[in-house]
Amino acid sequence: MRHYLQFKDLTRDEYGYLFQRTALIKRRFKNYEKHQPLQDRTLAMIFEKASTRTRVSFEAGMYQMGGAVVHLTTGDSQLGRAEPIEDSARVISRMVDLVMIRTFEHAKIERFAAHSRVPVINGLTNEFHPCQIVADLFTWLENRAMDRHDVVDMDALKGRVVAWVGDGNNMANTWLQAAELLGFTVHISTPSGYEVDPVVAGVRRDSYKVFDDPLEACRGADLVTTDVWTSMGYEAENEARRAAFARWCVSPAMMAVAQPDALFMHCLPAHRGEEVAAEVIDGPQSVVWDEAENRMHVQKALMEWLLLGRIG
C-alpha cells in the first residue's frame, strides 16, 4: 500500500508512468470513451479547508472511473467533535478504498495515513500541494513535450527553469521537491519575511535560486507561476500581505523577460490586479484553464495507480 502525501513520495519513473496514464485517460475522456476501472471502489473526501477545484476534480474523476464518493467535512462528521484523528482513520479506512484529505497542518494527514488501511492522498495541507504540482507538470509537458501520439518526454523537464513569484507557501515547497526530483531549477522570489524554508520542503539548496527582484527571477524562465498572496488560514494577515507583496504581481514586463514561449500558470482562484495582471492570466501564454482541468485527469491516474498498480 502506498500513500501520496507529498511530491517526493513517488520516484521519477513512477511520475513518468503517471503522466503517460494521464495522457491516455484524458484522451479517452475527450473521445467520450468509457474508462471505469474503479467500479465498486469508494473514495472518502475529507475537507477541513473549503474547496472548489479539489472537490469537483476528485468527485467527478471518481465517478467517471466508475467509483463512488463520500463527502465529509468537520461540520458533518466526528472530525469536528474532537474524535482523535487516529480513531477516525481506523474507522473510515475500514469502509472505503481510498481517502483524500484537505486540511491545515501536514502532521494531521501523516497521523491519519499512519493508521489507515487504505491509501491516503493529500488534497492540500499548509505545507504541501502535490496534486496541483502534478497537474501543473503534466500541463507543461502536454503543451511543450508531448508528441501527436501522446508520448510523454520526461527528459524535456531537465535543465528547465520555473519562476515562482510570490509567497513561499505550500505550492512553492512542492515546486522545490519537484525540481530536485525531476532535474529542473526553480527561481524563487518572495518578499522579505515570506521566504521558502528548505527544511520544511526537505530539499537541497542546489535545486533552486533566490532572487530579491521578481523581474530577475523571471528572466529566461520557461514557466512563470504564482498563487494568491493570502492562503486559507492566513486571512488575518491580508492587509499586511497586500502591502508586502505589492512588487510581486506577475506583470507583462515579467513575462517579456522570460523565454519567448514561456507559459504562465496559477493554481486558482486568482485575483486579477493583485498577484497577477489581467493581461497575463487572460493572455496567450496563460494555460490556467488547461491546468485546472488537468487536476481531474492526473488525479484519476493517481487513484487508478494507488488502487490497481501499473496497468499494461
Side-chain angles (χ1 to χ4, degrees):
M1 186 183 68
R2 298 281 295 275
H3 300 300
Y4 190 59
L5 307 186
Q6 49 186 303
F7 193 90
K8 64 182 182 180
D9 286 344
L10 271 63
T11 66
R12 183 180 184 279
D13 177 66
E14 287 167 338
Y15 279 114
Y17 170 80
L18 200 65
F19 292 140
Q20 201 62 65
R21 288 300 294 178
T22 299
L24 172 66
I25 289 169
K26 183 174 182 178
R27 182 172 71 248
R28 288 178 175 173
F29 173 80
K30 295 296 184 180
N31 291 336
Y32 298 95
E33 298 174 18
K34 186 177 289 187
H35 181 73
Q36 296 188 332
L38 301 185
Q39 292 187 41
D40 299 322
R41 301 296 183 99
T42 302
L43 166 70
M45 303 191 304
I46 301 173
F47 291 95
E48 289 194 300
K49 281 190 175 185
S51 169
T52 299
R53 277 150 293 276
T54 296
R55 178 175 180 180
V56 174
S57 59
F58 270 105
E59 190 161 342
M62 192 60 174
Y63 285 136
Q64 290 166 20
M65 300 278 275
V69 176
V70 176
H71 178 263
L72 297 169
T73 68
T74 52
D76 57 21
S77 71
Q78 293 297 332
L79 292 164
R81 299 183 179 90
E83 180 176 45
I85 292 172
E86 294 79 2
D87 290 358
S88 292
R90 291 182 178 105
V91 172
I92 293 169
S93 66
R94 284 173 176 256
M95 300 177 180
V96 302
D97 302 283
L98 189 63
V99 177
M100 185 282 297
I101 303 177
R102 184 177 172 94
T103 187
F104 292 89
E105 298 85 1
H106 192 73
K108 284 187 175 182
I109 199 169
E110 290 181 329
R111 288 168 58 195
F112 191 105
H115 295 84
S116 173
R117 290 186 170 196
V118 300
V120 176
I121 298 173
N122 181 357
L124 176 143
T125 62
N126 288 347
E127 290 82 3
F128 301 107
H129 198 359
C131 288
Q132 181 65 59
I133 300 304
V134 180
D136 293 359
L137 287 166
F138 178 78
T139 304
W140 191 8
L141 289 165
E142 182 181 48
N143 279 271
R144 293 291 181 262
M146 193 178 295
D147 67 19
R148 63 188 181 89
H149 301 294
D150 291 340
V151 175
V152 177
D153 180 12
M154 291 289 288
D155 289 336
L157 296 175
K158 288 185 176 180
R160 300 295 184 178
V161 173
V162 174
W164 176 264
V165 177
D167 190 15
N169 62 7
N170 52 5
M171 285 286 291
N173 288 337
T174 311
W175 272 116
L176 295 186
Q177 288 192 351
E180 185 170 274
L181 186 65
L182 302 181
F184 59 90
T185 301
V186 180
H187 287 183
I188 294 275
S189 183
T190 70
S192 177
Y194 299 93
E195 299 88 353
V196 294
D197 185 343
V199 175
V200 172
V203 298
R204 301 185 306 272
R205 185 64 176 79
D206 58 0
S207 61
Y208 68 100
K209 299 178 181 178
V210 177
F211 294 79
D212 293 329
D213 185 346
L215 184 74
E216 291 305 312
C218 296
R219 192 174 299 280
D222 300 282
L223 170 64
V224 178
T225 184
T226 189
D227 193 3
V228 295
W229 290 342
T230 306
S231 298
M232 283 179 287
Y234 298 91
E235 288 82 1
E237 302 175 11
N238 189 48
E239 290 308 312
R241 284 174 173 262
R242 283 172 64 92
F245 282 78
R247 289 198 302 118
W248 277 264
C249 175
V250 178
S251 64
M254 293 181 191
M255 296 303 300
V257 300
Q259 295 290 347
D261 65 345
L263 300 175
F264 172 76
M265 292 188 188
H266 191 306
C267 60
L268 303 177
H271 303 96
R272 290 164 175 81
E274 289 189 17
E275 73 273 6
V276 59
E279 306 97 291
V280 173
I281 194 171
D282 298 319
Q285 291 171 283
S286 174
V287 290
V288 297
W289 315 120
D290 292 341
E291 179 189 4
E293 178 189 338
N294 284 336
R295 279 288 302 276
M296 181 176 71
H297 301 303
V298 299
Q299 288 162 188
K300 286 195 286 187
L302 177 63
M303 292 189 290
E304 179 190 73
W305 178 73
L306 288 171
L307 290 175
L308 303 180
R310 292 194 180 222
I311 298 175

